[in-house]
Amino acid sequence: MCIRDSYWQALSFFEKNLELTQALYKIHPQDVPFQNGLAISYEKLGVTHSALGNFQKALVFFETETGVYVAWLFLTFSAAGRGPMGNLVGPRIFKKKKGYHTRKKE
């Protein structure tokens, strides 16, 4: 068995893993380990497709992986009341004053 055959075999395992991970994620979308597992599944598929020379498919999987991590970041920090850069998130009321946006005093 050559290395390329091993990649094709790994690809079938990773595709099955993705199906299972997506099913778990649908049931528990707020569960961080399932979100992380989903992102890892996309990463493994991206790496495998890249090794096989399927660069367009690899790119799609890497972009999807990034999207899952970005969604996780916003979910995590929003639950804590902070944005990814540490700034407070949530509803803010602004009024325009002399060309500048300032926070409306309550």
Side-chain angles (χ1 to χ4, degrees):
M1 180 190 278
C2 72
I3 291 177
R4 191 163 177 84
D5 291 337
S6 297
Y7 282 120
W8 283 108
Q9 186 178 18
L11 186 63
S12 68
F13 290 133
F14 293 147
E15 287 171 342
K16 183 64 177 170
N17 183 35
L18 178 63
E19 289 176 27
L20 296 171
T21 307
Q22 284 174 327
L24 287 170
Y25 177 72
K26 279 185 180 181
I27 297 169
H28 305 284
Q30 305 296 323
D31 197 328
V32 173
F34 292 140
Q35 288 177 327
N36 191 42
L38 185 61
I40 290 170
S41 294
Y42 286 121
E43 177 195 13
K44 289 180 183 284
L45 284 165
V47 168
T48 307
H49 276 290
S50 182
L52 290 169
N54 302 330
F55 300 114
Q56 288 301 99
K57 276 189 167 184
L59 181 61
V60 169
F61 284 114
F62 289 135
E63 288 173 341
T64 307
E65 172 202 10
T66 301
V68 171
Y69 278 128
V70 168
W72 172 81
L73 276 173
F74 280 103
L75 178 70
T76 301
F77 286 104
S78 294
R82 299 205 170 268
M85 304 308 278
N87 56 329
L88 292 172
V89 296
R92 293 183 180 176
I93 302 168
F94 290 93
K95 66 178 183 177
K96 195 168 186 177
K97 180 179 179 183
K98 297 182 184 177
Y100 297 98
H101 292 283
T102 57
R103 187 169 184 146
K104 183 178 180 181
K105 293 183 181 178
E106 299 169 2

